[in-house]
Amino acid sequence: MELQAVLMAAGGGSRMMDLTYNTPKPLLPVGNRPLIWYPLNLLERVGFEEVIVITTKEVQKALSTDQRLKTDVKMRLDVVCIQEETDMGTADALRHIQQKIKTDILVVSCDLITDVALHEVVDLFRAHNATLSMLMSKVHEFTDTVPGQKGKKKAGEQRDFVGVDVTGKRLLFMANEADLEEGLVFRKSIMRKHPRMLIKTGLLDAHLYCLKRSVVDFLVHNKSVTSIRGELVPYLVRKQFSKMFGVHNKCTSKEEALLQLARERSCWNDHRGDMSEAYHGGKLRCYVHIMEEGMCYRVNTLAAYIEANRVVPKLFEDPPIHPTAVVTERSLVGSDSIIGPYCQISDKTSIKRSNVGTSSTIKEKVKITNSIIMNGVTIEEGCNIQGSVICNNAVIGRGADMKYCLVGSGQCIEPEGENAVVQCSSGYTTHTKTHTLHFCSSVVFVLNPAFCVCVCVHSLAHVCLFFV
Amino acid sequence: MYVSIFFCSRPLIFCPTLHRSRWRKCAARVFGSREKTRRRPNAAEERNVCHVAAPLTPLSNMAGKAGKPSRPRKADKDEEEQPLQAVLVADSFNRRFFPITKDQPRALLPLANVSMIDYTLEFLTSTGVQETFVFCCWMASKIKEHLQKSKWCRPTSPNVVHVITSDLYRSLGDVLRDVDAKTLVRSDFLLVYGDVVSNIDISQALQEHKQRRSMDKNVSVMTMIFKESPPGHKTRCEDDDIIIAMDGKSKRILHYQRAQALKRLHFPMNIFHSGSDEFEIRFDLLDCHISICSPQVAELFTDNFDYQTKNDFVRGLLVNEEILGNQIHMHVTKDGYGARVSNLLMYDTVSSDTIRRWVYPITPEANFADLEGQSCTHSRHNVYRETGVSLGHGSQMEENVLIGRNTMIGANCTISNTVIGANCVIGDNVTLDRAYIWNRVHIADDVKVKQSVICDNVEVKHGVVLNEQCVLAYNVVVGPDITLPEGTVLSMHHPDEEDDEDDDEFLSDDNDVGYRKDKTKLKVFNPAEVGSEGKGYRWKTSSLEDTEEDELAECIWGEIDFRFSQFLTQSYKISFRNLGKQLTSLLNQFLYHGGKFYKSLLKKWAPVFKNYVKRPQDQLDCLASMEEVFLERETHWAALVKVLMSMYQLEILEEEGIMHWFNQGSTTDKSQQLRRNQGLLKFIQWLQEAEESSEEDE
């Protein structure tokens, strides 16, 4: 076994609390499959037979009960649970399972959806005997309006600066704009070794890392490192150029010595321009594969979640309408939509560019466009739903008209009373003990007037709702 | 007003209506002292008056052209048809080739037996330049004479060469200001130095430049040409290392810095806010010192009279990019050859590159300069021989050898990687390796030369050994039987001579104290240095330390300048008091970083200080802020006296001010302690005595 796969699936999804309020991130449905299926499938496709899954109790339970997942994933899952409350970082988690790690590892995050040829990353790792190789991709611009987000993303967002050498493979520098107030500083010795450095911004870290076994040993010795992305990777990248490096103490194994000899005797070199030995004698090397094309999403924000839902169905040749779903002939389901198992779709309903999850019921004369309907949702007659996300087990009352809304799980939109139309052009979220309701840009909403206590107008474009 | 005067480098922003000539006046006020030191005492003439060479060819009439009223520039339609023009600066404005350049300007020094300026002109002509303005200052008459005799001034020359001379050029900036004043250029022009050797085809770069300019009018003002050469490349010289940050797509230069004295390379964050997501940081470039400029470059030099060098210009433009909106782009060539012979090390490498045919088609046997009797044959291992060469029995020319006409070489010599000029006589058993021997040199038997330059008419007597990097300037005699250590420089000029002469050619203000130490002028040749029959004086080797110091000061200067401009753009209505404080504290910071630089730095900034520190209150402010800085760092208290002393000597601070400050009641214990500092007390005492004595005089 060359590589052991480790899947990190214990993250809480803190950047999309609206969705993960009731459903843990790994189980969020994307294209009617739980999110965790995608990295598992990625690993299975390239031939992994076993994977260590680090996750929470809740997810473990779901994994063991989900029949569909069981039939889809043939790999042996070695599930390791960690306590949710302990707030473990990814590096902590690696430390936690160090007993199980025998070889170099491939760490994948559970929110990665990509069609990358994984061997590209692993080949870099093999070819250069690298300490770290990772995957990055061009950042996707999410053009669609996202429920619950005010306007566009702020321009002043902190960018990641990634420095690679002229081949675009060797990772030389990595920092976030936030840490660079003083400007970029490079030692001249680095520039001498890599005289042409490409600095790229606008890259997305896919959180997929090949790591040497020795790095795990390093983690065991250095307990202060808690996160792979936040601390370990920047540390390794920096350490490439420092003279002393404790982790990579002279590996005097026979294999290593032979490799060393082979390199000395070979006329191969990783660089041009000067006469020094390959890698300038450095023992520690970090590489990155940057995807120029193809798909790569990290489903860690609402925008990415919606985008992924839109794109993913095209990738897998599942039938758009699950055989067990009941769809009447007089309804209209676009070919760009998918309908999950055990759904019921009634007459005169039209569904376009939308995903409908398992066991959802959609009544007559409903129009759904550009929306994501999760599992067990009931939508009553005459609703018009556009660009919205409706979470598990929500009930949408009769005649609701919603645009760019996010309805929390278990939420019930009451049908009674007159159609009260509330418009709201900026995102707003309310939390009460039992309700999670989200009103988003351009909400046209039907409400039970009794529910609505007051409407607070802050400005012309800003309306807040308060609930008792 | 003070503020705007100081920031004359950015005049258009602060006071757009102010007329240029007024700016000049302001400049004269601010930099008055500097100006004085640079001018000859008798140089009363107007700066803009200069000698225009007589028309050299029937094709053009220079005098007439200079007198014409300025044509409307940037006439789009014309631009296409305009013949390509070039400005060739046949002066280096530095003294890196001293003492050789005491007798011959650098542009005329032979490189592979052809004057350097001929290489430059050949490059310009082959790249399609049809009109070249050669600007000379140092030994202008010699250059003019040379050009008049050369093929460039024949009626058939496709490139019309005008020579423009003036004693008043002190820097590249002066030359370009003169270009602007005379409105010589009509459209984009090439800017090169007279010591550039190149075969780069710039047509592509030119096209890119034109395209950029037509797309965005007047935004891109300059395209610099670089050659790709990774660190450690033979043609690279560490002195000229540069680091560049560029936009990956548009090839725009975002940051340009000389990296020679820096350990860490620093890139300010604002350069990454240009909206691009791909940047390149390049340390693998060699500045060919060839740039394609638009006419605005000359105008910008006029507007910013404090720009002296290209470095000033580039950095100034980049720092003020947001305000002025001018951009600089770059073009990188992979195949071409381009290098500037900026020092002796580069002379060595460029010579050997030429012999090894890297500058093809400019090769020794091509005789491109079309000099009579210079034709030579090229045989295996890059051995070139001109006519009339005689080689003694058993002598070997191993490889990369060029031997000038009528040179006689004795028996059993070993010659490799060497250039020998015309009419030389070389004895028996001589070993030459990487030797550059110019014309009419006599070398006796049993001489060994390694990587050295031997100028015209030198006589090397029997048994002399020259180690690496020796220079024998014109007419020197060495020997017999002496070994010159590494880096020996011998010249017929006495090193102290230059103190008597007014070395007005050189801008680099060598305020070297060391020179004056031995005032006793030994006008006698020292046999220990040149041998018993030798003639010549030993020069102190151009130690690297000096240049380093210069460069570092430059960097620091740049840094301060940069911070200042930032500071200013934030609020230019700044009170004078704050500015003074800022200046002082900045300077003091640098003082700690490198204690030894403060003097030259202070000197550089003295005019600025003077401008700020005028009223007695300002002096107190200045002193107070200095005190503040020093109070924070007890360990540096000793340095306070030094700073005070130099500021006093530079007439920035006056006695009254210092005394007032000293006697002023100090509020805290610490500042009282500071005042009790031994050195300071002595200084104050000295001041008091000086005051008293001056009073007595009255």
Side-chain angles (χ1 to χ4, degrees):
Chain A
M1 192 163 51
E2 187 197 358
L3 278 170
Q4 274 179 298
V6 179
L7 181 63
M8 297 284 181
S14 55
R15 266 177 281 190
M16 41 185 202
M17 284 308 279
D18 301 337
L19 291 177
T20 54
Y21 193 71
N22 279 359
T23 320
K25 185 162 82 166
L27 300 178
L28 279 179
V30 175
N32 287 344
R33 285 192 156 105
L35 185 52
I36 195 170
W37 178 80
Y38 293 92
L40 286 174
N41 178 260
L42 174 74
L43 295 172
E44 202 171 57
R45 278 205 311 265
V46 294
F48 278 97
E49 289 171 352
E50 194 182 329
V51 56
I52 304 169
V53 181
I54 299 173
T55 188
T56 55
K57 280 254 159 56
E58 200 182 349
V59 179
Q60 188 192 22
K61 219 167 92 189
L63 283 178
S64 55
T65 51
D66 192 326
Q67 286 305 316
R68 192 166 171 209
L69 204 63
K70 269 195 173 159
T71 51
D72 278 358
V73 179
K74 303 200 172 48
M75 285 189 297
R76 204 173 78 75
L77 300 186
D78 181 359
V79 181
V80 178
C81 283
I82 57 168
Q83 260 96 43
E84 246 173 300
E85 299 79 36
T86 48
D87 197 25
M88 273 173 120
T90 41
D92 293 322
L94 273 186
R95 205 175 291 133
H96 186 68
I97 57 156
Q98 52 124 341
Q99 301 293 340
K100 292 176 184 275
I101 294 172
K102 304 282 186 284
T103 63
D104 300 340
I105 52 171
L106 176 74
V107 181
V108 190
S109 163
C110 77
D111 53 12
L112 175 69
I113 300 181
T114 179
D115 58 354
V116 70
L118 199 56
H119 70 84
E120 301 260 22
V121 182
V122 180
D123 280 354
L124 278 176
F125 187 70
R126 291 169 176 150
H128 299 283
N129 194 15
T131 307
L132 161 78
S133 74
M134 59 193 287
L135 175 70
M136 285 197 185
S137 141
K138 290 244 161 75
V139 163
H140 296 276
E141 295 293 328
F142 302 117
T143 44
D144 289 295
T145 321
V146 174
Q149 239 173 42
K150 236 189 231 178
K152 280 188 176 173
K153 268 191 189 174
K154 283 164 211 153
E157 191 130 304
Q158 306 285 341
R159 298 174 293 173
D160 270 327
F161 282 71
V162 176
V164 290
D165 73 348
V166 70
T167 60
K169 300 287 185 203
R170 178 88 187 256
L171 184 59
L172 302 172
F173 174 79
M174 195 150 105
N176 190 274
E177 198 164 11
D179 306 325
L180 293 173
E181 274 164 24
E182 300 281 291
L184 259 68
V185 178
F186 297 109
R187 265 181 292 142
K188 198 153 91 178
S189 55
I190 299 179
M191 290 314 295
R192 215 169 263 143
K193 287 174 194 161
H194 304 279
R196 189 172 174 185
M197 193 191 287
L198 298 132
I199 304 272
K200 299 192 178 199
T201 62
L203 289 181
L204 173 86
D205 184 354
H207 285 221
L208 184 147
Y209 310 103
C210 278
L211 289 168
K212 273 251 177 289
R213 152 102 217 174
S214 56
V215 176
V216 182
D217 297 342
F218 166 79
L219 284 179
V220 172
H221 288 117
N222 291 270
K223 295 240 160 46
S224 59
V225 181
T226 60
S227 143
I228 294 180
R229 176 61 175 85
E231 295 161 60
L232 181 67
V233 172
Y235 176 80
L236 291 176
V237 171
R238 265 201 319 277
K239 276 289 164 187
Q240 291 183 98
F241 304 104
S242 62
K243 280 184 189 108
M244 288 167 297
F245 181 61
V247 173
H248 228 284
N249 37 17
K250 284 125 220 156
C251 255
T252 42
S253 72
K254 208 173 170 189
E255 205 175 318
E256 194 78 9
L258 267 173
L259 220 96
Q260 186 69 30
L261 186 72
R263 209 162 40 231
E264 275 165 22
R265 295 289 159 89
S266 135
C267 57
W268 178 84
N269 205 329
D270 73 314
H271 62 272
R272 311 178 49 201
D274 60 29
M275 302 294 285
S276 58
E277 57 182 312
Y279 307 116
H280 300 275
K283 289 263 190 295
L284 201 158
R285 294 177 283 278
C286 298
Y287 285 84
V288 60
H289 173 67
I290 298 174
M291 286 172 73
E292 292 296 333
E293 49 198 23
M295 183 197 67
C296 182
Y297 290 103
R298 282 205 63 220
V299 182
N300 57 357
T301 61
L302 188 55
Y305 177 73
I306 291 170
E307 185 76 13
N309 265 295
R310 208 150 282 160
V311 175
V312 158
K314 291 170 197 152
L315 285 177
F316 299 97
E317 288 165 4
D318 290 334
I321 299 172
H322 199 271
T324 56
V326 181
V327 181
T328 56
E329 275 174 28
R330 291 177 66 192
S331 67
L332 198 90
V333 177
S335 60
D336 43 11
S337 301
I338 54 171
I339 311 291
Y342 314 115
C343 277
Q344 291 187 345
I345 312 256
S346 311
D347 287 351
K348 290 182 186 166
T349 285
S350 108
I351 299 175
K352 285 177 195 157
R353 295 191 295 282
S354 299
N355 299 350
V356 180
T358 314
S359 318
S360 291
T361 312
I362 294 169
K363 299 273 176 65
E364 285 91 1
K365 291 179 193 162
V366 173
K367 227 173 124 183
I368 300 174
T369 32
N370 266 331
S371 298
I372 298 158
I373 316 288
M374 292 194 194
N375 305 328
V377 176
T378 309
I379 298 174
E380 302 283 348
E381 292 122 70
C383 289
N384 186 0
I385 296 168
Q386 196 186 327
S388 302
V389 178
I390 300 181
C391 294
N392 290 339
N393 305 322
V395 178
I396 309 293
R398 189 153 40 82
D401 184 3
M402 47 207 328
K403 274 181 191 163
Y404 303 110
C405 287
L406 200 153
V407 179
S409 45
Q411 198 52 61
C412 191
I413 308 291
E414 298 283 329
E416 300 160 36
E418 289 299 303
N419 285 4
V421 177
V422 181
Q423 280 213 350
C424 187
S425 55
S426 61
Y428 197 73
T429 312
T430 57
H431 289 271
T432 61
K433 275 176 195 164
T434 51
H435 306 269
T436 313
L437 260 179
H438 308 269
F439 301 100
C440 313
S441 41
S442 321
V443 175
V444 183
F445 217 79
V446 185
L447 287 170
N448 182 348
F451 246 52
C452 188
V453 169
C454 73
V455 176
C456 225
V457 182
H458 284 299
S459 67
L460 283 177
H462 210 116
V463 182
C464 296
L465 299 169
F466 291 90
F467 294 86
V468 187
Chain B
M1 193 56 208
Y2 295 122
V3 176
S4 56
I5 289 178
F6 171 47
F7 288 94
C8 41
S9 57
R10 276 135 310 252
L12 298 177
I13 306 96
F14 299 108
C15 213
T17 50
L18 210 55
H19 193 266
R20 263 185 202 169
S21 62
R22 272 182 67 194
W23 280 112
R24 288 234 172 89
K25 268 181 216 161
C26 296
R29 247 193 289 161
V30 177
F31 293 97
S33 60
R34 195 163 141 196
E35 206 93 325
K36 241 183 269 164
T37 54
R38 274 163 40 197
R39 280 199 183 182
R40 273 188 197 187
N42 61 349
E45 329 132 67
E46 261 296 322
R47 207 175 196 192
N48 285 341
V49 175
C50 83
H51 312 287
V52 174
L56 302 170
T57 64
L59 286 173
S60 76
N61 185 329
M62 195 43 235
K65 208 162 261 168
K68 267 185 203 169
S70 69
R71 295 180 187 201
R73 284 176 190 169
K74 295 153 255 157
D76 299 73
K77 293 163 203 160
D78 294 339
E79 211 143 312
E80 286 301 310
E81 297 112 50
Q82 294 284 3
L84 187 57
Q85 294 174 307
V87 169
L88 191 156
V89 184
D91 204 321
S92 57
F93 305 113
N94 66 37
R95 52 171 69 194
R96 282 178 172 176
F97 269 79
F98 247 41
I100 301 172
T101 43
K102 273 201 155 233
D103 298 301
Q104 189 87 324
R106 192 198 286 187
L108 296 188
L109 300 184
L111 189 138
N113 289 349
V114 179
S115 297
M116 288 201 247
I117 195 168
D118 288 331
Y119 286 94
T120 314
L121 283 168
E122 176 67 23
F123 157 68
L124 291 176
T125 310
S126 65
T127 203
V129 172
Q130 294 180 35
E131 193 174 14
T132 307
F133 301 98
V134 179
F135 286 82
C136 324
C137 176
W138 178 245
M139 299 205 172
S141 54
K142 279 200 175 183
I143 298 175
K144 211 161 93 182
E145 198 184 333
H146 171 88
L147 287 177
Q148 267 163 348
K149 274 194 265 172
S150 73
K151 78 166 186 179
W152 314 110
C153 287
R154 289 181 203 155
T156 52
S157 167
N159 183 2
V160 181
V161 175
H162 310 289
V163 182
I164 299 168
T165 65
S166 165
D167 291 340
L168 297 175
Y169 300 140
R170 292 292 179 284
S171 66
L172 179 72
D174 291 341
V175 169
L176 283 170
R177 278 184 275 278
D178 203 32
V179 168
D180 186 43
K182 293 199 173 92
T183 58
L184 295 175
V185 293
R186 294 179 294 273
S187 69
D188 295 343
F189 64 97
L190 282 179
L191 177 64
V192 290
Y193 281 97
D195 42 17
V196 169
V197 176
S198 169
N199 64 357
I200 296 170
D201 179 13
I202 60 143
S203 55
Q204 199 200 338
L206 200 65
Q207 210 172 353
E208 285 171 12
H209 180 80
K210 287 227 165 92
Q211 206 173 1
R212 270 195 290 268
R213 290 190 39 83
S214 63
M215 277 194 2
D216 244 334
K217 206 131 186 57
N218 302 342
V219 168
S220 173
V221 292
M222 187 153 116
T223 301
M224 294 168 84
I225 312 258
F226 295 96
K227 172 171 167 43
E228 200 176 86
S229 51
H233 191 284
K234 204 164 72 79
T235 319
R236 247 171 95 135
C237 173
E238 253 190 54
D239 284 359
D240 299 326
D241 273 355
I242 44 164
I243 182 104
I244 288 176
M246 63 183 258
D247 188 319
K249 281 168 197 144
S250 66
K251 306 270 178 265
R252 183 153 75 83
I253 299 182
L254 303 168
H255 187 76
Y256 175 97
Q257 193 165 29
R258 295 173 68 167
Q260 187 242 339
L262 303 171
K263 274 231 164 68
R264 284 170 179 278
L265 305 165
H266 184 268
F267 302 91
M269 225 39 214
N270 60 333
I271 65 170
F272 297 107
H273 292 308
S274 66
S276 171
D277 61 352
E278 234 182 274
F279 308 94
E280 275 187 47
I281 293 177
R282 301 196 65 162
F283 192 53
D284 63 340
L285 297 178
L286 176 77
D287 193 348
C288 301
H289 291 275
I290 302 166
S291 18
I292 304 168
C293 306
S294 56
Q296 278 109 304
V297 172
E299 286 168 27
L300 281 165
F301 267 99
T302 309
D303 291 343
N304 301 281
F305 53 81
D306 57 335
Y307 289 171
Q308 298 299 338
T309 61
K310 201 164 99 179
N311 208 25
D312 288 347
F313 175 77
V314 173
R315 284 186 66 83
L317 232 58
L318 292 180
V319 166
N320 298 316
E321 198 236 299
E322 278 164 44
I323 310 164
L324 295 175
N326 291 317
Q327 298 179 344
I328 300 175
H329 289 81
M330 59 195 277
H331 175 83
V332 178
T333 173
K334 276 186 179 169
D335 311 321
Y337 185 89
R340 185 179 171 205
V341 183
S342 50
N343 53 27
L344 275 173
L345 227 60
M346 285 300 277
Y347 178 83
D348 178 20
T349 46
V350 175
S351 296
S352 73
D353 287 343
T354 314
I355 300 279
R356 285 165 211 208
R357 311 177 74 77
W358 284 105
V359 205
Y360 186 86
I362 303 178
T363 53
E365 88 274 13
N367 190 16
F368 62 87
D370 204 15
L371 297 170
E372 231 172 288
Q374 276 256 29
S375 61
C376 62
T377 58
H378 172 221
S379 40
R380 270 199 319 169
H381 306 306
N382 293 332
V383 173
Y384 305 85
R385 284 201 234 188
E386 289 179 14
T387 51
V389 172
S390 75
L391 194 65
H393 179 76
S395 283
Q396 271 194 340
M397 296 192 283
E398 284 175 352
E399 50 172 4
N400 308 315
V401 177
L402 169 60
I403 298 180
R405 61 185 180 279
N406 305 327
T407 285
M408 290 191 289
I409 295 172
N412 298 321
C413 294
T414 313
I415 302 173
S416 56
N417 307 312
T418 290
V419 177
I420 302 175
N423 303 313
C424 294
V425 180
I426 291 173
D428 300 338
N429 302 319
V430 173
T431 309
L432 303 174
D433 183 41
R434 295 175 79 184
Y436 299 95
I437 296 167
W438 297 355
N439 302 324
R440 299 179 296 281
V441 173
H442 286 252
I443 294 181
D445 301 345
D446 304 315
V447 171
K448 278 196 172 66
V449 180
K450 280 182 224 159
Q451 203 194 354
S452 295
V453 175
I454 299 174
C455 300
D456 288 1
N457 303 321
V458 169
E459 208 179 328
V460 181
K461 302 220 178 224
H462 176 267
V464 172
V465 177
L466 297 186
N467 279 315
E468 277 91 350
Q469 293 169 18
C470 285
V471 176
L472 304 183
Y474 293 91
N475 309 322
V476 165
V477 182
V478 190
D481 301 308
I482 186 171
T483 302
L484 296 183
E486 202 172 305
T488 310
V489 178
L490 296 178
S491 167
M492 291 305 282
H493 297 276
H494 197 275
D496 293 341
E497 243 173 64
E498 60 178 313
D499 286 343
D500 313 335
E501 278 177 29
D502 191 7
D503 45 348
D504 53 353
E505 196 224 341
F506 303 100
L507 184 80
S508 53
D509 37 348
D510 263 21
N511 311 308
D512 219 331
V513 204
Y515 269 134
R516 298 181 181 266
K517 270 182 188 164
D518 44 347
K519 278 267 172 183
T520 46
K521 283 188 183 168
L522 295 165
K523 282 279 182 183
V524 189
F525 305 129
N526 185 350
E529 286 172 356
V530 293
S532 52
E533 294 166 33
K535 288 178 190 167
Y537 302 101
R538 186 174 170 162
W539 279 55
K540 70 163 194 157
T541 41
S542 49
S543 65
L544 277 169
E545 268 174 42
D546 280 1
T547 51
E548 262 170 33
E549 199 164 316
D550 260 8
E551 314 269 316
L552 195 61
E554 202 174 300
C555 300
I556 292 169
W557 203 83
E559 176 83 359
I560 295 183
D561 191 34
F562 175 68
R563 283 205 206 173
F564 251 105
S565 67
Q566 274 197 329
F567 188 55
L568 252 223
T569 45
Q570 281 159 16
S571 67
Y572 54 85
K573 277 185 184 170
I574 196 157
S575 87
F576 161 85
R577 191 174 163 155
N578 281 344
L579 208 55
K581 267 187 184 170
Q582 174 87 356
L583 199 59
T584 318
S585 62
L586 262 178
L587 254 178
N588 280 322
Q589 268 182 28
F590 283 106
L591 177 71
Y592 297 130
H593 287 300
K596 56 179 181 168
F597 304 121
Y598 77 94
K599 218 164 191 173
S600 58
L601 211 65
L602 258 181
K603 210 159 200 172
K604 235 173 194 161
W605 281 78
V608 180
F609 268 121
K610 266 187 209 167
N611 202 46
Y612 283 92
V613 185
K614 271 187 176 151
R615 298 169 300 164
Q617 183 55 41
D618 305 334
Q619 295 204 5
L620 283 183
D621 284 344
C622 181
L623 281 162
S625 56
M626 266 167 64
E627 185 185 339
E628 230 169 79
V629 178
F630 274 96
L631 279 179
E632 280 170 26
R633 283 165 246 209
E634 249 172 272
T635 44
H636 292 283
W637 281 7
L640 174 63
V641 191
K642 284 186 189 169
V643 177
L644 281 179
M645 186 67 189
S646 26
M647 286 179 99
Y648 175 73
Q649 280 171 345
L650 289 165
E651 294 173 7
I652 298 165
L653 297 175
E654 284 163 20
E655 290 157 7
E656 291 87 14
I658 299 175
M659 295 305 290
H660 190 131
W661 166 76
F662 184 77
N663 294 327
Q664 213 177 26
S666 46
T667 44
T668 61
D669 289 351
K670 222 175 170 189
S671 63
Q672 269 173 355
Q673 259 177 13
L674 180 74
R675 282 182 173 73
R676 262 180 249 129
N677 180 304
Q678 272 300 320
L680 189 62
L681 286 176
K682 263 187 196 165
F683 175 64
I684 296 291
Q685 202 184 345
W686 178 80
L687 268 183
Q688 271 169 341
E689 279 166 13
E691 205 174 351
E692 275 160 21
S693 67
S694 68
E695 272 168 16
E696 275 166 26
D697 286 350
E698 281 162 17

